[in-house]
Amino acid sequence: MFSLYTQIKYKFSRFFSTALFLIINLTLVHTAIAADEFAFSSYDGTVSEDLLTDTGFEQGMSFLSLSSRATGEWIDEGTISGAHSAQIKLGNYGRAIAVHHLGSGSKVQGKALQLYAKANIEKVDGSKGLTQFCAVAYTDQGRHQACQDILSSQSGAVTIDVTLDIDPTQNIGRVYSWIQARGNVTSYMTIDDMHLVLYRTGDYADPVPVPVEPTPVDSDGDGIIDRDDAFPNDASES
């Protein structure tokens, strides 16, 4: 027979081990979920700017430009998240792009451009080829891109997270979220939660206007400005 103390110690030990196991597993589950959510990256000396205002397609999909070999539909059934998603069909070399112009002759610079999105690849017609999700930037040195490739054999839920490193000494003219089918394939997909983030360098706060002092006026020419003159229109009085 075990003593009462030994029994209590044994039961407490089992309870503690079970509780610790549950805590560890819940933590791992939470971490796995959190890792699949959008998060800004960290670049020293930069300000992160999400260039897409309707990242969840809740107001429509008009900011996406579709090429002649692409079609799209704004859907409210079978969505990835929220009330709406965008459903896209891309023929061979069909494109769906979102562009952000930073202005002609701009002095905008940055260290990186990040493209994030959630996609559900429904099917791909064609055994060869792929679908590319690219972060594209045009700088003083031309076009630069970084892509995440989805092979024609792949389907189901996919998280897109691709970052393009940018020379911070170069001015950036425009940037793109660029989705394209390549290699004699037709891609059917639903996309949502799309972010195009520029990690800008420098201080881009609007300048504070400097107040301008009005030019003093002396209407009657008596040498006393009007605001200090009791009779601003009578030189014989002051």
Side-chain angles (χ1 to χ4, degrees):
M1 295 290 293
F2 293 107
S3 67
L4 179 60
Y5 171 76
T6 301
Q7 293 181 52
I8 292 174
K9 182 179 178 181
Y10 174 74
K11 290 182 179 179
F12 178 79
S13 177
R14 288 190 61 188
F15 171 79
F16 179 78
S17 298
T18 302
L20 182 61
F21 174 80
L22 289 173
I23 290 171
I24 291 173
N25 277 273
L26 286 172
T27 302
L28 290 173
V29 170
H30 174 74
T31 302
I33 293 172
D36 200 34
E37 300 297 325
F38 171 72
F40 289 106
S41 297
S42 178
Y43 289 88
D44 290 341
T46 68
V47 175
S48 56
E49 181 179 0
D50 201 333
L51 304 175
L52 303 180
T53 57
D54 183 21
T55 60
F57 295 95
E58 296 304 318
Q59 300 172 25
M61 52 179 291
S62 59
F63 66 89
L64 279 183
S65 176
L66 303 175
S67 70
S68 60
R69 295 185 179 181
T71 58
E73 181 181 358
W74 188 46
I75 61 172
D76 57 10
E77 294 183 358
T79 64
I80 295 177
S81 63
H84 296 90
S85 294
Q87 195 171 61
I88 295 174
K89 173 186 174 183
L90 299 177
N92 188 29
Y93 289 96
R95 298 186 303 274
I97 63 177
V99 59
H100 185 88
H101 293 273
L102 297 167
S104 177
S106 69
K107 299 297 182 182
V108 176
Q109 298 172 339
K111 290 186 176 181
L113 179 69
Q114 179 185 11
L115 171 61
Y116 177 96
K118 290 182 179 178
N120 184 23
I121 310 299
E122 296 163 18
K123 66 174 180 175
V124 178
D125 293 337
S127 59
K128 296 182 180 180
L130 50 83
T131 303
Q132 291 185 311
F133 288 77
C134 302
V136 179
Y138 282 82
T139 72
D140 293 340
Q141 294 179 333
R143 178 188 170 110
H144 311 271
Q145 69 177 36
C147 301
Q148 182 171 329
D149 296 344
I150 308 300
L151 301 178
S152 58
S153 58
Q154 187 173 352
S155 62
V158 177
T159 297
I160 308 301
D161 196 352
V162 58
T163 299
L164 169 68
D165 291 327
I166 300 174
D167 182 346
T169 67
Q170 297 297 308
N171 297 318
I172 305 169
R174 62 190 186 275
V175 296
Y176 293 86
S177 161
W178 191 290
I179 309 170
Q180 179 171 287
R182 300 186 64 180
N184 196 27
V185 296
T186 301
S187 299
Y188 302 81
M189 72 187 74
T190 302
I191 59 174
D192 210 331
D193 193 22
M194 189 164 73
H195 301 260
L196 185 63
V197 182
L198 178 61
Y199 294 90
R200 300 170 63 154
T201 55
D203 182 8
Y204 292 94
D206 292 333
V208 178
V210 178
V212 178
E213 288 289 335
T215 303
V217 177
D218 179 12
S219 299
D220 56 14
D222 62 357
I224 302 174
I225 61 175
D226 287 1
R227 69 185 179 192
D228 297 329
D229 194 343
F231 303 94
N233 295 311
D234 187 352
S236 64
E237 300 283 352
S238 61

